[in-house]
Amino acid sequence: MSHKSQTHSFHIPVMGLAYTVDSPIKVAKYGISSVISIVDDFLIEKMNEYYSNKFKIPYQEISTKVEDYRAKRITAYLNTVDTIAKQTFSNLKKSFEEKSGEFEKYIEMLPDFSMLKQNFTKKFENYTLKEDALHWIHNNLKMGSIDVNIMTKLDKVNFRKNEQLPTEFNDAHAALRGFANSNLESSVVLSAGMNPRLYSYFESFEDFFPNESGYLKKKIILKVSDYRSALIQGKFLAKKGIWVTEYRIESGLNCGGHAFATDGFLMGPILEEFKTKKDQLIQSAHELMVKALEAKNIPFPAQPFDLKITAQGGVGTSEEHEFLLNHYNVDSVGWGSPFLLVPEATTVDSNSIEKLKKATEKELFLSNVSPLGVPFNSLKDSSNDLIKNNRIVNDKPGSSCPKKFLALGLDAKGKPLCTASKKYQIAQLEELYSQNLDNTTFDKKSKLITDKTCLCEGLANAAIINYNMPHKGEDQGVAICPGPNVAYFTKELSLKEMVRHIYGKTNVITTSNRPHFFIKELSMYVDYFSNKVDEFQDSFTKKQEKYLTNFKNNLNNGIAYYHQLFSDSINNFEASNDNLLLELEQLRKELLEIKIPILQVV
């Protein structure tokens, strides 16, 4: 399906826990797809109550005493979102006679290349009857998809009265069940790599298998960082009779939230591989899926299902957007961080919006704060950081850890333990004290312990603040995790302004020195590589030598690929190609100067 036949050629990816938790309620009626994080059932329960009251939908509280409360809360909220989105979309379609109505806004925001917009203009010149117009609108206008995200690693074991519950009550399993039991006809985005047990659990729900007419009610989108992992995961699911309908390629470093760095593979070469091997991806999975469906006596399609390839991470101009669509044939481009400055699309507290407007490249950095142990995009001086640092100064490090979604370690009793919790940090610091280390070593090691922060609360609090929701327990402030790209967006924007910027009808970026998103990602990888070399300096092993050599080779191959790409006059970017080649050469030299230590053979 070409992007021209879709409503929009962009989507809003998942952000934090709160930032896109109600985005579909805000934007689905305009044909814009967005993604809700379904990790935090406490926040989801509060959102369900808030929106049920607002739209006068009957609401029944689901307390933690209810069996399977996590899945039930998620199902209930997703059904509420679905009801509201359909209702507001229906009202929008009826508003076509009002000149300043929502319908007008829907049509106006469509890209000019959209077939829908072109057909609408043609048709409405000929329609004299209101009934005909309404009929056309009813049959042709589409709502944006209400997709959900599950971070596959967040799958901790749960207990009831000290008794361990079966696997299907693990966090990610319960979230999947919550989505599977909802009324939504949309996709679940799986991020953070493969979880075989969770992937196998998909077989329990018939909505993920085709029905008699070959329709998939619920679909799977895999967020991947390279072709090989897409191939492996796609085949794993196909062997169970399950089709992956989209691979969502995200930059390893130039994105918001957790940054899952590749081994030096860059976005351009990765997209090139998907473009050239897409048919292989489809065929290999189709054959395996047909076999599995036959064995299960489920009707199987003669022709492979559609497969979309989408991309996201650091895209900030209409030129970059169009380049991804036209050069790599991607079906849609994810625009995340810039939407944090669009209150009509996301939920961000006013204090964080002010900080985001002022944030420069210096204030946006990769931090060590996540309990997952994965680099995490952070904003300097977020209220979450200020509160955490204040606790450390007052000798009260760590969080009370009420939600435990990131509690992936175990304490002495085999119960989940988070590295951001008071319990963990105090025990670790006591252990350090007992080692009688010199001050410098002690400070360095204690910082690694107390750096970890409570993201379960921090990433959810913006919604609690925005909607004045009651909140128990200690304040964790707001943790916000934009990608570096937000540095070039400096003011609050309306939805219409942002969409016009994406489609090149206006430009909201005032700075003239914003780097091309491929160059920005490469410079981040060169820095990342340099830090890795320093990190391994003291205890260098054969394994690390192999990792660094491989990483450097991949970066050099990426640079060679970009050299070819930027030398080709067909690809004319907004910055002159000569400029891009100069920046590329500069980064190549920087990389050359980073020396991998030589392993001393004793």
Side-chain angles (χ1 to χ4, degrees), residues 170-304:
N170 286 9
D171 281 353
H173 280 68
L176 174 57
R177 183 164 58 256
F179 169 64
N181 291 336
S182 75
N183 302 332
L184 290 178
E185 297 187 29
S186 62
S187 304
V188 55
V189 183
L190 298 171
S191 61
M194 184 155 142
N195 174 342
R197 273 203 310 198
L198 181 70
Y199 282 21
S200 302
Y201 190 45
F202 276 88
E203 289 184 86
S204 311
F205 307 102
E206 61 182 41
D207 280 4
F208 291 103
F209 293 106
N211 66 9
E212 261 75 39
S213 51
Y215 173 69
L216 290 169
K217 186 177 177 188
K218 296 215 169 48
K219 305 188 187 85
I220 296 177
I221 296 173
L222 290 187
K223 202 193 272 188
V224 291
S225 52
D226 61 50
Y227 179 81
R228 189 171 162 270
S229 78
L231 193 64
I232 291 167
Q233 293 183 69
K235 282 182 170 178
F236 184 92
L237 286 161
K239 282 177 187 165
K240 300 179 181 308
I242 290 169
W243 184 252
V244 174
T245 55
E246 180 187 324
Y247 289 102
R248 193 159 277 190
I249 301 151
E250 183 170 68
S251 164
L253 291 180
N254 194 13
C255 60
H258 285 94
F260 293 92
T262 64
D263 291 355
F265 292 111
L266 300 171
M267 192 141 182
I270 290 167
L271 287 166
E272 188 69 51
E273 191 171 6
F274 272 93
K275 177 183 170 180
T276 53
K277 295 181 179 172
K278 183 178 174 179
D279 289 344
Q280 216 173 307
L281 208 53
I282 293 172
Q283 276 317 122
S284 63
H286 176 70
E287 285 160 22
L288 290 169
M289 183 187 76
V290 166
K291 258 189 213 160
L293 290 176
E294 264 186 304
K296 286 177 157 71
N297 288 323
I298 294 174
F300 56 87
Q303 293 306 313

Side-chain angles (χ1 to χ4, degrees), residues 54-69:
K54 187 173 177 178
F55 284 87
K56 307 204 167 16
I57 296 167
Y59 163 74
Q60 182 75 53
E61 184 193 350
I62 299 165
S63 87
T64 52
K65 294 185 175 70
V66 172
E67 193 187 345
D68 202 20
Y69 69 88

Side-chain angles (χ1 to χ4, degrees), residues 55 64 210 239 259 265 289 298 348 358 389 399 430 552 569:
F55 284 87
T64 52
K239 282 177 187 165
F265 292 111
M289 183 187 76
I298 294 174
V348 185
K358 297 187 185 107
N389 293 336
S399 148
E430 279 172 3
K552 195 170 190 176
S569 59

Side-chain angles (χ1 to χ4, degrees), residues 334-351:
W335 282 67
S337 302
F339 270 103
L340 292 170
L341 288 167
V342 184
E344 277 179 80
T346 56
T347 297
V348 185
D349 59 296
S350 53
N351 178 29

Side-chain angles (χ1 to χ4, degrees), residues 45-157:
E45 178 65 18
K46 285 180 173 171
M47 294 302 291
N48 194 19
E49 182 180 12
Y50 172 81
Y51 273 109
S52 298
N53 291 340
K54 187 173 177 178
F55 284 87
K56 307 204 167 16
I57 296 167
Y59 163 74
Q60 182 75 53
E61 184 193 350
I62 299 165
S63 87
T64 52
K65 294 185 175 70
V66 172
E67 193 187 345
D68 202 20
Y69 69 88
R70 180 172 166 76
K72 286 173 180 164
R73 284 173 164 185
I74 291 165
T75 302
Y77 178 58
L78 294 178
N79 287 347
T80 299
V81 173
D82 188 49
T83 302
I84 295 168
K86 283 175 177 158
Q87 184 58 56
T88 52
F89 183 54
S90 171
N91 294 345
L92 178 144
K93 288 190 283 192
K94 289 175 196 154
S95 79
F96 94 100
E97 289 172 287
E98 304 160 28
K99 262 286 161 251
S100 61
E102 292 276 75
F103 175 78
E104 184 105 333
K105 189 170 172 182
Y106 182 110
I107 297 294
E108 208 182 306
M109 284 198 288
L110 291 174
D112 291 339
F113 59 66
S114 142
M115 303 304 285
L116 186 65
K117 193 171 200 167
Q118 290 168 16
N119 290 343
F120 168 75
T121 314
K122 275 187 210 136
K123 290 271 190 289
F124 273 65
E125 282 164 2
N126 307 330
Y127 279 145
T128 45
L129 284 175
K130 179 184 162 186
E131 282 71 32
D132 288 348
L134 276 171
H135 186 72
W136 187 89
I137 289 165
H138 183 73
N139 286 327
N140 291 279
L141 249 59
K142 286 193 196 81
M143 211 169 83
S145 188
I146 303 167
D147 296 326
V148 304
N149 182 268
I150 297 175
M151 207 168 170
T152 56
K153 281 186 168 53
L154 305 187
D155 200 25
K156 79 163 195 314
V157 169

